[in-house]
Amino acid sequence: MDNESILEIISKNINSTEVADKLKICDFRKLLYKKLHRDFSYKYAELIRKLFAIEVKEREACSDDSNVAGEIDNTYDCPLSIICSTYLLYRLGDLNDVKSIWNAKCIDYDSYFEIDGQFLVGAGVEETIAFLRRKRGRIAKSIIKDIKRYKRQGAFEQSAYTNWKNRMNKMMDNL
C-alpha cells in the first residue's frame, strides 16, 4: 500500500471502528504524521483534527496521571505526539483552530512551553489577532496577549520564524 492510499483509506473511513482502533496505536499515528507532512493536503483536514483531538485527550490523561502514558501505549511520547499533531493543524491555517491549539497549550505547564506561540498563527499574526478581537471574550483576550508577547520577543520575525519552521519540518521528516 503506498503513502497516498493509506491516507485516503483512513480519511474515507475515519468514523469506522477499524480506523478508531488503528488510531489508538501511537506508532501508527506517527506514521500518519510523517505521511501527512510529506503529502500535506487540505483534504485531510478532518483526519488532522481527529489526530489532534486524540493527542489532546491523551495528553490530558498523562497530565492527570503520569502512569497513564505507559498504559496508553508503550510507544507514546507526549511531547512529540502533541507537537506533530499541532504542527499539522497549524499548517491548515484555519482561524477556527486557534482556540483548540490554545487549549492544548494550556493543558499543563509542559505543554505550554512545548506548543510554541508560532502554532497559534497559522493564518498569520495580524489575521489571527483580528479574528480573536471579533470573537472577544476572556480566552480570546488571553490568546491575543500571548501572541503580542511572542511578537515583542521576535518569534514572528522572518529569521526566527523560518528557523522554527525548519526545525518543525526536520522533526516531521525524521519521525
Side-chain angles (χ1 to χ4, degrees), residues 55-149:
E55 299 302 348
V56 166
K57 184 178 177 185
E58 291 192 4
R59 181 55 180 260
E60 289 171 339
C62 288
S63 181
D64 293 339
D65 182 354
S66 61
N67 295 324
V68 171
E71 294 171 13
I72 292 171
D73 185 330
N74 64 0
T75 62
Y76 186 61
D77 179 343
C78 280
L80 178 64
S81 297
I82 201 160
I83 289 169
C84 290
S85 64
T86 306
Y87 184 59
L88 291 169
L89 193 61
Y90 151 86
R91 287 181 64 190
L92 290 174
D94 188 333
L95 289 165
N96 292 305
D97 293 324
V98 173
K99 185 178 176 195
S100 297
I101 294 170
W102 175 258
N103 289 338
K105 187 171 178 55
C106 294
I107 290 171
D108 58 27
Y109 180 82
D110 291 332
S111 65
Y112 185 82
F113 293 101
E114 291 162 359
I115 299 175
D116 297 325
Q118 289 91 335
F119 288 120
L120 296 167
V121 295
V125 176
E126 298 309 320
E127 294 85 347
T128 303
I129 291 171
F131 172 79
L132 292 167
R133 282 189 177 131
R134 288 190 302 274
K135 287 287 183 188
R136 299 189 178 129
R138 182 181 53 82
I139 293 174
K141 287 179 183 176
S142 294
I143 300 170
I144 290 170
K145 183 178 176 183
D146 222 40
I147 290 171
K148 287 183 175 182
R149 182 174 55 79

Side-chain angles (χ1 to χ4, degrees), residues 31-47:
L31 172 78
L32 289 179
Y33 294 143
K34 190 170 191 169
K35 292 180 185 308
L36 284 164
H37 172 66
R38 289 185 176 160
D39 302 324
F40 187 81
S41 172
Y42 295 99
K43 69 182 176 183
Y44 300 126
E46 184 180 2
L47 175 58

